[in-house]
């Protein structure tokens, strides 16, 4: 592992929920709130949904199909919370508006939005079908913006809300063969800060608070799939799953519990920022 490529931390990193983001510390702190989590069928999205349920929220989970979310729904229900699954393509405006309307009819007004849905195609641009490349921008950047564009006016009218955009370390580094992913995550990160400043223009800062959250080094199916065979034949695949396991040390629940904590509003000093577990831990230690 080259430390110059991905950097190293000057403080010990936590790889499990700690301090204010444990389930015990957050018990009932989101009670009475309605949350939406996109890309909730597995991995990080499922963990976010479970953490919000454990903190007392009612949760709407979204993915391309309801069936894909069965395990997530069952896990959430095992904690005694209320959860409902919806099928939604987050890159389709009509689908997003219709789904959000349905959620508010079924569950109530939405207080928390977590934009987690994302896709990654490991292929250099020169070997890519452009539509396939662009679909990453559609899901990873257009999708969150459609959800925000749909929900933000409703939050404005109610005078409160929390929006968490799941970003990535990829927003800050150059990783060949992931152009669609890194650029979409970089755009989402900048959009988060800009939208927070727009809230200030309307006198809604910090009542409406937004975050771009780096979820940690979580080894998901998306990140561990490797490059397609034709790409490996041309370029090799030095950054394969084994290479990245040195970075992927975090369970999904670390991100899930962080989202549940941000949703409480206790971390509003971090609003508008790109934050990760190292920065959050440093902030918590300095403010404790």
């Amino acid at each position: 592992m080259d430390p110059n490529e991905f950097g190293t931390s000057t403080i010990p990193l936590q790889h499990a929920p700690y301090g204010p983001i444990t389930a015990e510390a957050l018990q009932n702190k989101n009670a009475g709130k309605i949350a939406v989590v996109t890309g909730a069928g597995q991995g990080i999205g499922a963990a976010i949904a479970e953490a919000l349920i454990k903190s007392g929220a009612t949760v709407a989970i979204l993915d391309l199909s309801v069936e894909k979310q069965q395990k997530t729904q069952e896990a959430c229900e095992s904690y005694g919370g209320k959860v409902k699954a919806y099928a939604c393509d987050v890159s389709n405006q009509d689908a997003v508006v219709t789904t959000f309307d349905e959620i508010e009819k079924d569950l109530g007004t939405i207080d928390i939005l977590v934009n987690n849905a994302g896709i990654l195609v490991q292929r250099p641009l020169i070997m890519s079908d452009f539509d396939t490349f662009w679909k990453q921008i559609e899901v990873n950047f257009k999708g969150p913006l459609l959800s925000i564009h749909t929900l933000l006016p409703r939050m404005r009218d109610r005078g409160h809300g929390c929006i968490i955009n799941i970003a990535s370390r990829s927003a800050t580094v150059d990783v060949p063969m992931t152009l669609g992913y890194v650029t979409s995550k970089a755009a989402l990160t900048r959009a988060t800060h800009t939208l927070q400043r727009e809230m200030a223009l309307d006198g809604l800062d910090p009542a409406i608070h937004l975050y771009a959250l780096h979820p940690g080094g979580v080894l998901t199916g998306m990140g561990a799939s490797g490059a397609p065979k034709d790409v490996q034949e041309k370029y090799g695949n030095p950054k394969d799953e084994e290479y990245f396991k040195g970075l992927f040390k975090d369970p999904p629940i670390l991100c899930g519990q962080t989202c549940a904590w941000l949703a409480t509003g206790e971390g509003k000093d971090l609003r508008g920022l790109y934050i990760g577990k190292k920065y959050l831990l440093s902030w918590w230690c300095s403010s404790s």
Side-chain angles (χ1 to χ4, degrees), residues 124-182:
L125 181 64
I126 199 170
M127 292 181 68
S128 299
D129 170 85
F130 193 81
D131 288 342
T132 301
F133 159 76
W134 193 251
K135 185 63 176 178
Q136 296 172 89
I137 311 297
E138 295 267 314
V139 174
N140 301 349
F141 183 55
K142 179 184 175 183
L145 267 290
L146 282 176
S147 295
I148 293 170
H149 186 264
T150 301
L151 188 57
L152 199 53
R154 308 179 193 192
M155 289 183 168
R156 176 197 60 204
D157 293 344
R158 295 191 285 266
H160 65 87
C162 174
I163 297 173
I164 303 169
N165 296 318
I166 301 301
S168 172
R169 180 67 188 278
S170 295
T172 67
V173 296
D174 303 320
V175 183
M177 304 185 190
T178 65
L179 182 63
Y181 190 78
V182 298

